Amino acid sequence: MADGNSFRVIVSGGGTGGHIFPAVSIANAIKAQHPDAEILFIGALGRMEMERVPQAGFKIVGLPVRGLIRPLWSPKNIGVMIDFMKSRSQVKKIIRDFKPDVAVGVGGYASAPTLNAAYSMGVPCLIQEQNSYAGVTNKSLAKKARKVCVAYEGMERFFPADRIVLTGNPVRQNLLDNKMTKDEAVKEFGLEPKKKTVLIVGGSLGARTVNESVLGHLDEIRESDVQFIWQTGKFYKKEIDAALAKTQKPANLYVTDFIGNMDAAYAAADVVVSRAGASSISELCLLGKPCILVPSPNVAEDHQTKNAQALSKRDAAIFVADKDAREMLVDIAIRTASDDKKLKSLSENVLKLALHNSADRIAEEVYKLKK
């Protein structure tokens, strides 16, 4: 739609870091390949992207779009649909003014009205699906997209096979550029370089089940030869501090609400305990980290369980169901960290699933759609 020399791209989606990190990575890759490209983000008002995208140096416009309310027959969904139509109308005006060559959707509330409007106005569309089980928004947009960039094989059950490109998920570049040794990284957390280290993360907000799994097994941690780095999440930090105050915190347990330098934390870790979000899994694959995945049961279509199973069936991760974690997780983490043969096998198998240069490959697919 734009003139022949310019390259203008709309990138839409968000809601969680799992959508925002890839979106920003794709935008950065487009700018690296085409320094004169103009990129405009479209997000949902009140969601995380409205803060994170400007921090990354890009302009963003917010839509009043919201998710459908369960049950679907709820009268409240009338308001949700009105907001969707308002959002679609707003996107059409943005497209008329911005004149994009391509529209990219990464999933999340804003993707649906944005790509629906773009498709209706003849703008070529590309969607990026991070998970092994496609989300509702991306499934609904499948026929409107000319290209679908995916991170897992076997996605033909959700999308037209001739439009699928296996690219992998973009990850935070600083994690891959890290030159820190394991010894240096371990010392950053005040721990001992010669001991095996388990990193426990439940996402930036934390995960109640994962945290309760640790709190319930402090004695086992204290008595083990393994040391732990535990990111509790800001939401749970107060109650965890209160619980630790009633007992003696194990000396081999480093506790923090948020890890700012994840590159150091990954470098320190022999084993990573994590939820099974798509971005986290992509990072673990690229870094070759042995991992224990505890999928969150509170996500759409239980996609984290399907992500974790995609790895565990290839012996590239250990799967622990959320309902079993409080009883089993710490014991499995200690035993895994102490088993060099298992660590080597997990690392080798997870590395085989890594897809490199994902953001660059997606950016190339975006440019191919330019008329």
Side-chain angles (χ1 to χ4, degrees):
M1 291 184 72
D3 67 71
N5 295 321
S6 66
F7 184 34
R8 294 167 177 255
V9 182
I10 282 175
V11 180
S12 181
T16 65
H19 289 314
I20 297 164
F21 289 141
V24 170
S25 295
I26 293 165
N28 284 329
I30 291 170
K31 289 291 284 183
Q33 292 174 17
H34 308 280
D36 295 332
E38 291 186 51
I39 297 169
L40 176 66
F41 278 75
I42 298 180
L45 289 169
R47 305 291 289 186
M48 195 191 295
E49 59 267 26
M50 300 307 296
E51 183 181 335
R52 295 289 175 85
V53 168
Q55 286 172 356
F58 295 99
K59 185 181 175 187
I60 187 167
V61 179
L63 305 176
V65 66
R66 300 178 281 147
L68 287 166
I69 293 158
R70 310 279 176 183
L72 293 178
W73 45 261
S74 167
K76 293 178 181 175
N77 280 326
I78 295 169
V80 173
M81 292 312 297
I82 290 169
D83 283 343
F84 179 89
M85 298 311 292
K86 278 185 195 168
S87 298
R88 195 169 181 272
S89 175
Q90 191 175 330
V91 174
K92 286 190 170 184
K93 182 178 186 310
I94 292 167
I95 288 172
R96 283 193 291 270
D97 293 342
F98 185 67
K99 299 181 172 59
D101 294 289
V102 186
V104 177
V106 297
Y109 298 147
S111 275
T114 300
L115 268 68
N116 270 292
Y119 175 79
S120 73
M121 296 176 76
V123 179
C125 298
L126 176 146
I127 57 178
Q128 197 247 337
E129 174 54 60
Q130 292 104 24
N131 294 294
S132 62
Y133 191 92
V136 173
T137 300
N138 279 348
K139 280 193 285 189
S140 72
L141 295 168
K143 291 180 181 172
K144 294 172 181 174
R146 295 204 193 164
K147 287 288 178 187
V148 182
C149 295
V150 301
Y152 293 88
E153 293 175 351
M155 299 300 282
E156 296 82 4
R157 58 203 168 119
F158 305 112
F159 306 116
D162 59 339
R163 299 180 197 178
I164 293 174
V165 185
L166 185 64
T167 58
N169 286 325
V171 301
R172 293 171 282 186
Q173 192 59 39
N174 64 310
L175 298 178
L176 305 180
D177 295 340
N178 183 33
K179 301 290 190 293
M180 191 178 292
T181 67
K182 182 179 189 300
D183 281 10
E184 289 168 345
V186 168
K187 285 175 185 173
E188 282 217 3
F189 296 94
L191 297 173
E192 296 182 36
K194 289 185 169 57
K195 284 192 173 182
K196 290 291 172 60
T197 305
V198 175
L199 169 65
I200 299 178
V201 287
S204 56
L205 297 176
R208 181 176 292 281
T209 301
V210 174
N211 288 339
E212 289 176 353
S213 302
V214 178
L215 281 176
H217 294 269
L218 293 175
D219 287 341
E220 288 94 320
I221 290 171
R222 186 180 289 108
E223 291 161 13
S224 77
D225 289 328
V226 175
Q227 56 196 2
F228 288 74
I229 299 168
W230 178 22
Q231 177 182 276
T232 64
K234 294 181 180 179
F235 186 74
Y236 298 105
K237 186 64 163 58
K238 272 189 181 173
E239 65 182 76
I240 285 167
D241 283 345
L244 290 173
K246 293 175 186 173
T247 182
Q248 186 181 2
K249 182 182 82 66
N252 56 340
L253 177 64
Y254 174 92
V255 186
T256 183
D257 59 340
F258 181 72
I259 299 171
N261 52 339
M262 275 303 293
D263 46 352
Y266 276 137
D270 295 285
V271 181
V272 179
V273 175
S274 173
R275 287 304 204 186
S279 290
S280 298
I281 285 180
S282 295
E283 291 171 357
L284 294 166
C285 290
L286 285 161
L287 295 169
K289 283 293 166 185
C291 55
I292 300 167
L293 299 175
V294 187
S296 169
N298 308 313
V299 293
E301 286 120 354
D302 199 22
H303 68 251
Q304 285 203 8
T305 294
K306 297 173 178 81
N307 289 348
Q309 288 170 339
L311 268 70
S312 63
K313 72 182 182 186
R314 293 175 171 84
D315 294 321
I318 294 169
F319 177 100
V320 176
D322 190 85
K323 64 182 176 60
D324 299 325
R326 289 175 183 85
E327 183 183 340
M328 299 166 54
L329 182 59
V330 166
D331 179 56
I332 290 172
I334 292 169
R335 282 193 286 113
T336 304
S338 307
D339 186 341
D340 286 337
K341 188 177 175 185
K342 184 66 173 175
L343 292 177
K344 186 171 184 286
S345 166
L346 286 169
S347 181
E348 287 172 353
N349 290 335
V350 82
L351 271 171
K352 290 174 190 171
L353 302 179
L355 291 164
H356 295 269
N357 306 314
S358 299
D360 292 333
R361 292 163 70 184
I362 295 166
E364 287 164 7
E365 294 297 330
V366 172
Y367 190 72
K368 285 179 191 174
L369 294 179
K370 183 179 186 289
K371 293 177 180 175

